[in-house]
Amino acid sequence: MSEYKMAPPLQPGDTIGIISPCSRLENGTFEAAFETLRSRGYRIKKSRYLYSGTNGYAGSEEERAADLNEMVLDDEVKMVLFTGGYVSNEILPMIDYAAAAAHPKLYSSYSDGTSILNAIWAKTGLVTYYGQDPGVFCEPDAYNDRYFDGWFVHPPMQELAPRVPRQVLSGGTGEGVIVGGYTLNFAMMMGGDFFPFDESEDYLLILEDHEAFNTPAEVSALLSHIGQSRLMKRVRGLLFGDYSDRPNEELNGVLRRFGSRYGIPVVYCRDFGHGRSHAVLPIGVRARLDAGSGTLRFL
C-alpha cells in the first residue's frame, strides 16, 4: 500500500492523544480504556479541554478545535483517538489541514467522528480510520483487538474478516476508494466544502446506523440524500454495518432498493458500527466488494 499517504504505525512507548471534539465528557470517563492502552505499552496524553462543557453539550468550538490542532502539531503524539457525539461538524472550518498533512499521524474514531475523519482525508490525502474510539478499550475484545493491531501496529490488513456471516442484499462486484461512516454525518457532508472528492475516481461506501438512533425510514431518507449527490455517480458498492441484534427486514428492504436503484452491490455485515464489533476500515484506501463471496478486500 505504498501509494497511500499513511502515518507510521505505533511502536511500544508511543503516545496516543485523546480529544473530545464531538461531545462533552465527564471527568474520569474512559479511565478503564486508558489503563488498557497503557498496559499495552502506550502513553496517554489528554487534551487541555477534554472535559470542557463551555457550550453545555461540549466544549466551545474554539476549545475543541484547539485540542485537535495541538495534537496535530505535537510530534510526540502518534495517534489521535477520539469519541463520537453530535457536533464534530462545528469545528471543520477550524481544523489546520495543512498542519495535518505536514505531521501525518493515525486518526481513529467512529459515529460522529465521521465528519472529521472524512474531512482530514479529503483535504490532505492522509488515510484515516473508521471504527474505534476510546470506549472500545473499556471492554477488550479479541475481534476488535485484531483490527487495532492490523491497522495501527502491523499494517496493512488484506481483508475485512466477518464476525458473523454477512447478508448479500444486492449482487455484483464493485471497487473503489473507501469513504463513509455514520450515515447521518456522511450525508451532511454531501456538497459541502469539507468533502472535496475526485470526480474521476471510483468509491466504495461504508455506512452504518443503529435502531437506537434512526428508523429504517430515516436511514432511507439519508441514503436518498447521498444518492442524490454528485458523489453517487462514482459509487461502486455499499457495505452497511451493524444495525440491530435482530434481523430487520424493513432495513433490508431499504438497502435492497438502494442497490437496485443504483446498480451496485450491497452487503450487510455486523463487523463495524454501534454494536459489539468494531473492525477498523481505512478511509482513503481502495477496496473490492464482492457480493458473490461476501468479501471486502483491501487493495
Side-chain angles (χ1 to χ4, degrees):
M1 293 193 173
S2 59
E3 71 271 26
Y4 301 113
K5 185 176 182 181
M6 303 176 82
L10 292 173
Q11 302 293 329
D14 277 351
T15 297
I16 298 175
I18 308 295
I19 62 175
S20 182
C22 314
S23 63
R24 179 179 184 176
L25 290 187
E26 295 299 325
N27 197 351
T29 304
F30 299 138
E31 285 303 322
F34 301 156
E35 286 307 311
T36 295
L37 291 167
R38 290 186 185 107
S39 74
R40 298 181 185 182
Y42 304 112
R43 296 184 174 93
I44 297 297
K45 185 168 191 174
K46 300 176 187 178
S47 62
R48 278 194 296 159
Y49 301 108
L50 184 63
Y51 302 118
S52 173
T54 300
N55 282 357
Y57 52 79
S60 70
E61 290 91 327
E62 292 78 11
E63 289 170 341
R64 288 178 281 134
D67 275 355
L68 176 53
N69 289 332
E70 286 173 15
M71 291 293 183
V72 167
L73 291 170
D74 187 341
D75 288 332
E76 179 183 81
V77 173
K78 304 303 181 184
M79 178 182 196
V80 182
L81 187 63
F82 54 101
T83 61
Y86 295 95
V87 289
S88 63
N89 63 329
E90 290 183 343
I91 71 166
L92 295 184
M94 305 168 73
I95 296 172
D96 189 340
Y97 297 102
H103 299 262
K105 53 195 65 187
L106 303 165
Y107 295 91
S108 178
S109 185
Y110 79 108
S111 192
D112 195 66
T114 295
S115 302
I116 294 171
L117 295 174
N118 282 275
I120 289 176
W121 168 73
K123 300 287 268 186
T124 71
L126 178 68
V127 172
T128 59
Y129 300 89
Y130 189 87
Q132 298 193 358
D133 79 339
V136 170
F137 302 95
C138 290
E139 297 182 10
D141 177 283
Y143 181 84
N144 300 336
D145 291 348
R146 173 181 179 183
Y147 285 90
F148 182 91
D149 290 341
W151 280 111
F152 304 136
V153 184
H154 303 294
M157 299 191 78
Q158 303 302 313
E159 183 176 348
L160 181 70
R163 183 151 203 169
V164 299
R166 294 169 181 155
Q167 188 173 4
V168 175
L169 299 173
S170 179
T173 300
E175 181 178 314
V177 174
I178 293 173
V179 294
Y182 184 53
T183 312
L184 172 62
N185 288 79
F186 193 67
M188 288 194 298
M189 300 192 80
M190 296 298 95
D193 291 339
F194 299 99
F195 189 71
F197 65 93
D198 183 349
E199 297 194 35
S200 66
E201 181 62 272
D202 292 331
Y203 297 91
L204 276 183
L205 292 179
I206 57 106
L207 295 173
E208 57 96 0
D209 215 302
H210 197 273
E211 61 184 349
F213 308 123
N214 286 304
T215 65
E218 290 165 328
V219 174
S220 183
L222 296 171
L223 288 176
S224 293
H225 185 70
I226 295 169
Q228 293 161 16
S229 72
R230 293 171 67 181
L231 175 71
M232 197 64 210
K233 296 180 175 62
R234 306 302 306 182
V235 169
R236 301 297 178 247
L238 167 62
L239 180 69
F240 200 90
D242 194 4
Y243 183 76
S244 173
D245 290 339
R246 305 172 303 279
N248 189 304
E249 285 306 315
E250 192 173 7
L251 176 71
N252 289 348
V254 168
L255 297 175
R256 286 192 187 98
R257 290 190 293 274
F258 187 78
S260 175
R261 184 175 302 120
Y262 297 104
I264 59 171
V266 177
V267 176
Y268 176 85
C269 73
R270 298 191 62 195
D271 308 327
F272 70 102
H274 282 76
R276 175 186 173 197
S277 300
H278 296 278
V280 173
L281 289 150
I283 293 171
V285 166
R286 290 187 69 83
R288 181 180 297 114
L289 179 66
D290 185 340
S293 59
T295 57
L296 181 75
R297 301 184 189 278
F298 305 111
L299 304 176

